[in-house]
Amino acid sequence: MDMDFTTITKKGMILKGVPASPGIAMGTAYLYTKEIPRVEERALSEHEIDKEIERLCRAIGKSSKELNKILSFAQQKVGEGKAKIFEAQIMVLEDQILIDSIKQRIRSERKNAEFIVSSEIGKYASLMLTARDEYMHERAHDMEDLKNRIIRNMQQEKLVSKVEGSIIIVAHNLTPADTMILSRNHVLGYATDLGGITSHAALVSRSLKIPAVVALGDVTREVETGDFIMLDGYSGTLVIHPTEQQIAEYEQKRNRMLQFEAQLVELKDLPATTRDGHSIELSANIELPEELEYVVLQGSQGVGLFRTESLLIGRDDFPSEEEQYHEYKKIVDRLYPQRVIMRTFDIGGDKIAPEMAEEANPFLGWRGIRVCLDRPDLFMNQLCAMLRASMRKNLAVMFPMVSTIEEVHRAKEFVKKAKAELRSKNVKFDNTMSFGVMIEVPAAALNAAQIAAEVDFLSIGSNDLVQYLLAVDRGNNLVCNLYQELNPAVLVTLKHVINAAHKHGKWVGICGEMAGHPLAAPLLVGLGMDELSVVPAVLPEIKKIIRSLDYKQMQKVATTALNFSSADEVELYLRKFIKKAIPDIPLDTDNS
Ligand code: PEP
Ligand code: MG
């Protein structure tokens, strides 16, 4: 009934968001809720009861494993006192009386486990909330958290098996982990209420080549599971129950874009060299080892950024050195003789959370190299695994989120230690393996010369650098107009970093999203960037731009761009330049 009603009232309704990953998708919507799981009451038949109890037990087991991991993180990081919150949650999970009474109720009331868990644990939480004591109130929130964790674990298991066929995920927000876990089903597209173009979920969908539109505002209220929707990742629109005419228009557009993409195929084996013979290393960013074949097909010259956090997805512990070694080796073997740059774990921010106490400002908190330096066990495992995988000499490693020179020194000490450890075990590695630093914190950009003197290369992480330079959350749509990659402050900073690296005879690349924007490419090359590492989907287009222009021309473009005083002026200038110099490049506003 509901669906029929929606079909009539919302037919052809268009929601406008921000395009996050190109492509057009049409399919059935699946509403994915995570933050506060929605619990439905469902009657069970006799034969479903045992299975339901098994499902409950698995979710409890998984929740307990997660909580134990959080507990050990918390003990190390925030001390025993605060970590007690998690101990208390584990104790509740191990409370046999509570568990028995949940099981008992599932049997006697014949209701689904989520419903009974919600009611039984919810009962305690409400009781605590009625107390006048502040301490008890906080414990009530902990009970709510625990309840949601168990329910989420039950629902996730169900989701993975339930989401069959082709669907478009509609969610309030998606973490990179959600995006990847969900993509293991046949997902045609993602649409979210929140998010910005460089949010990690957006990056993940781009690298998975799944169309995505973020910042749609209210999409989770407007769309229901089962609705037929159409998603345009070029212009950032979502249409609910599209009309025949809308479908025809979108199909035409899809064909147009596919034709342009087909033109680029012939560039596959050609180098990224300008018309006057200046060569740029054009490599790809990858999130998942599964992307490698696609990267090769796209004609990449290597991998400029492998975000190793993907190894942590869907698991509640850290992979061992051995496991990591095998994963890394597969990648370097597949791409040999091309170079692969791996980044050490960049945990925190909006990426895989270190699963511990919440931080008020995660982007200014415990992330990137800070976590690695605080967790020697984890860092050593990863460095040893990478060194072991380096024997073909085509692996380089870089450190994320560096802000001080001391961090560089300390990271290098760890590398020394890892090498010594391997030597003591007679394990071979490439002793000349290059180490670099990502420049993504303004302090590191300003001190780029000192950093460059210490390492083999620099790689600019423009997603974070822009966020921190302009104090704009990269994932927050409310301030997305202020997220300006072409802001003069950004351009001056890029030039400063490039000069600093070159002064020390080191090469410098850029691996943030900016590197893959057609408008920015001539500017970046003209500024003197030695390497551009881009999402695989846009690589052929960027290659086409580089091959269509002279280096001298791009240097002029960069000099002119550095003289403007606003991002709008820079953008207008670049837009005009590309339109005139390479008219067949479709710029984003041409797509809508
Ligand atoms: C960046 O910040 O530009 C970058 C490449 O790293 P990530 O997007 O993974 O934070
Ligand atoms: Mg970054």
Side-chain angles (χ1 to χ4, degrees):
M1 285 293 282
D2 255 5
M3 247 196 67
D4 290 342
F5 182 68
T6 315
T7 313
I8 296 160
T9 55
K10 294 190 178 159
K11 191 158 180 67
M13 179 176 175
I14 298 175
L15 301 180
K16 188 87 187 85
V18 173
S21 174
I24 289 178
M26 285 181 230
T28 311
Y30 184 92
L31 209 62
Y32 175 65
T33 48
K34 179 170 179 265
E35 278 80 7
I36 300 186
R38 239 189 253 175
V39 175
E40 279 159 23
E41 182 176 348
R42 189 168 60 84
L44 299 177
S45 59
E46 180 68 38
H47 75 274
E48 285 178 307
I49 291 177
D50 285 341
K51 272 204 189 130
E52 194 67 0
I53 289 179
E54 279 166 27
R55 201 161 75 83
L56 168 78
C57 294
R58 279 197 299 277
I60 290 177
K62 182 148 194 278
S63 306
S64 162
K65 255 180 133 179
E66 285 171 357
L67 282 167
N68 274 299
K69 191 179 153 216
I70 297 171
L71 175 67
S72 74
F73 260 102
Q75 279 167 336
Q76 287 190 33
K77 202 58 203 167
V78 293
E80 295 282 341
K82 290 207 177 108
K84 286 223 173 331
I85 301 168
F86 303 110
E87 247 169 43
Q89 289 197 18
I90 294 169
M91 270 165 65
V92 175
L93 258 186
E94 286 170 356
D95 178 354
Q96 210 44 53
I97 300 177
L98 174 72
I99 306 295
D100 284 347
S101 103
I102 293 174
K103 287 183 186 167
Q104 178 54 34
R105 281 187 60 188
I106 295 176
R107 282 194 194 287
S108 60
E109 295 173 33
R110 290 195 177 179
K111 292 274 162 61
N112 54 322
E114 286 102 318
F115 177 74
I116 303 289
V117 166
S118 175
S119 133
E120 194 65 18
I121 302 188
K123 220 162 56 187
Y124 286 95
S126 333
L127 218 89
M128 288 168 171
L129 274 177
T130 56
R132 288 222 178 130
D133 182 343
E134 179 69 20
Y135 175 83
M136 287 305 268
H137 280 197
E138 279 184 25
R139 297 294 74 76
H141 293 306
D142 296 342
M143 288 296 269
E144 280 288 319
D145 271 1
L146 177 66
K147 180 186 93 181
N148 289 337
R149 180 180 297 280
I150 303 173
I151 294 174
R152 228 172 12 234
N153 278 330
M154 274 188 285
Q155 290 184 341
Q156 236 166 32
E157 180 184 290
K158 211 163 87 187
L159 175 77
V160 173
S161 55
K162 187 174 158 190
V163 179
E164 279 165 8
S166 305
I167 47 156
I168 296 176
I169 299 281
V170 176
H172 184 58
N173 202 6
L174 287 171
T175 64
D178 295 331
T179 320
M180 283 199 209
I181 289 171
L182 289 165
S183 74
R184 289 175 188 159
N185 298 289
H186 194 206
V187 172
L188 299 175
Y190 294 105
T192 59
D193 289 336
L194 303 181
I197 182 144
T198 55
S199 62
H200 283 99
L203 303 192
V204 172
S205 41
R206 266 198 294 281
S207 64
L208 293 169
K209 279 198 81 192
I210 296 176
V213 178
V214 298
L216 282 154
D218 253 356
V219 64
T220 49
R221 260 202 241 150
E222 300 291 357
V223 172
E224 290 179 35
T225 294
D227 282 349
F228 181 68
I229 56 176
M230 191 162 70
L231 192 70
D232 179 353
Y234 297 111
S235 64
T237 43
L238 181 144
V239 189
I240 307 174
H241 294 297
T243 61
E244 270 173 30
Q245 195 191 336
Q246 283 169 322
I247 295 179
E249 280 167 15
Y250 275 76
E251 263 168 359
Q252 251 182 22
K253 179 170 175 180
R254 177 152 61 185
N255 290 340
R256 233 180 27 241
M257 295 311 291
L258 289 176
Q259 264 169 23
F260 172 69
E261 282 158 20
Q263 266 180 38
L264 300 176
V265 172
E266 61 203 51
L267 301 181
K268 179 179 171 288
D269 297 318
L270 300 175
T273 303
T274 62
R275 284 191 311 199
D276 51 354
H278 179 80
S279 287
I280 294 295
E281 179 127 355
L282 182 58
S283 46
N285 293 349
I286 59 166
E287 309 274 336
L288 300 168
E290 288 93 319
E291 289 174 87
L292 276 186
E293 295 313 316
Y294 179 53
V295 162
V296 173
L297 267 177
Q298 291 290 79
S300 168
Q301 286 173 281
V303 164
L305 165 66
F306 170 42
R307 293 181 164 97
T308 55
E309 303 80 69
S310 63
L311 264 63
L312 309 177
I313 286 171
R315 54 188 298 158
D316 41 30
D317 56 354
F318 282 96
S320 65
E321 179 190 316
E322 195 62 22
E323 264 177 273
Q324 290 185 53
Y325 162 67
H326 287 292
E327 282 301 324
Y328 302 152
K329 185 153 176 359
K330 259 193 271 173
I331 298 175
V332 291
D333 282 351
R334 176 64 187 95
L335 278 199
Y336 181 81
Q338 294 183 347
R339 181 179 60 201
V340 177
I341 303 177
M342 296 192 186
R343 169 173 83 184
T344 55
F345 292 135
D346 185 6
I347 314 171
D350 73 339
K351 303 201 184 96
I352 320 278
E355 298 207 39
M356 51 154 297
E358 277 175 19
E359 291 178 275
N361 279 311
F363 273 117
L364 301 181
W366 203 45
R367 65 169 291 204
I369 192 75
R370 301 169 186 181
V371 176
C372 289
L373 294 175
D374 284 353
R375 288 288 311 262
D377 49 338
L378 194 150
F379 199 27
M380 284 291 283
N381 265 356
Q382 188 169 35
L383 290 174
C384 287
M386 287 174 165
L387 282 163
R388 284 173 60 193
S390 68
M391 279 302 287
R392 283 179 176 271
K393 294 185 182 277
N394 64 330
L395 175 59
V397 169
M398 63 186 179
F399 306 115
M401 286 300 298
V402 166
S403 39
T404 67
I405 197 79
E406 288 84 1
E407 286 168 339
V408 180
H409 293 151
R410 288 184 63 203
K412 283 173 73 179
E413 278 305 309
F414 274 103
V415 172
K416 262 197 204 154
K417 258 176 81 178
K419 286 184 174 179
E421 190 179 307
L422 293 178
R423 274 194 202 103
S424 74
K425 294 183 196 155
N426 272 329
V427 178
K428 293 207 170 78
F429 58 88
D430 170 20
N431 194 32
T432 63
M433 182 164 87
S434 294
F435 284 90
V437 160
M438 286 188 73
I439 301 294
E440 35 189 2
V441 175
L446 288 169
N447 287 336
Q450 285 94 320
I451 295 175
E454 292 286 325
V455 291
D456 301 306
F457 65 93
L458 302 180
S459 181
I460 299 172
S462 56
N463 304 337
D464 278 312
L465 187 58
V466 172
Q467 143 165 290
Y468 295 123
L469 268 177
L470 297 171
V472 176
D473 177 348
R474 60 195 265 184
N476 181 347
N477 182 45
L478 284 177
V479 285
C480 68
N481 285 340
L482 291 171
Y483 189 91
Q484 301 171 341
E485 288 171 332
L486 298 176
N487 186 290
V490 175
L491 306 195
V492 171
T493 309
L494 296 181
K495 188 65 191 153
H496 172 79
V497 176
I498 292 167
N499 289 347
H502 289 170
K503 188 174 131 201
H504 288 276
K506 308 293 165 69
W507 68 262
V508 52
I510 174 165
C511 60
E513 290 301 285
M514 186 179 183
H517 291 166
L519 276 188
L523 167 71
L524 296 171
V525 174
L527 284 171
M529 213 65 85
D530 302 298
E531 179 229 33
L532 304 184
S533 189
V534 305
V535 274
V538 301
L539 196 140
E541 192 176 346
I542 301 298
K543 194 188 272 185
K544 180 176 166 80
I545 293 173
I546 295 172
R547 292 182 58 84
S548 308
L549 299 169
D550 286 332
Y551 184 45
K552 278 210 187 87
Q553 210 180 355
M554 292 191 258
Q555 283 178 311
K556 255 201 210 147
V557 165
T559 310
T560 310
L562 279 167
N563 282 323
F564 289 114
S565 53
S566 75
D568 282 351
E569 287 169 291
V570 178
E571 178 172 342
L572 192 69
Y573 167 68
L574 293 174
R575 203 171 272 287
K576 275 193 188 151
F577 169 74
I578 295 249
K579 266 207 144 143
K580 186 154 178 247
I582 332 172
D584 46 345
I585 294 289
L587 297 175
D588 36 13
T589 48
D590 302 338
N591 298 332
S592 45

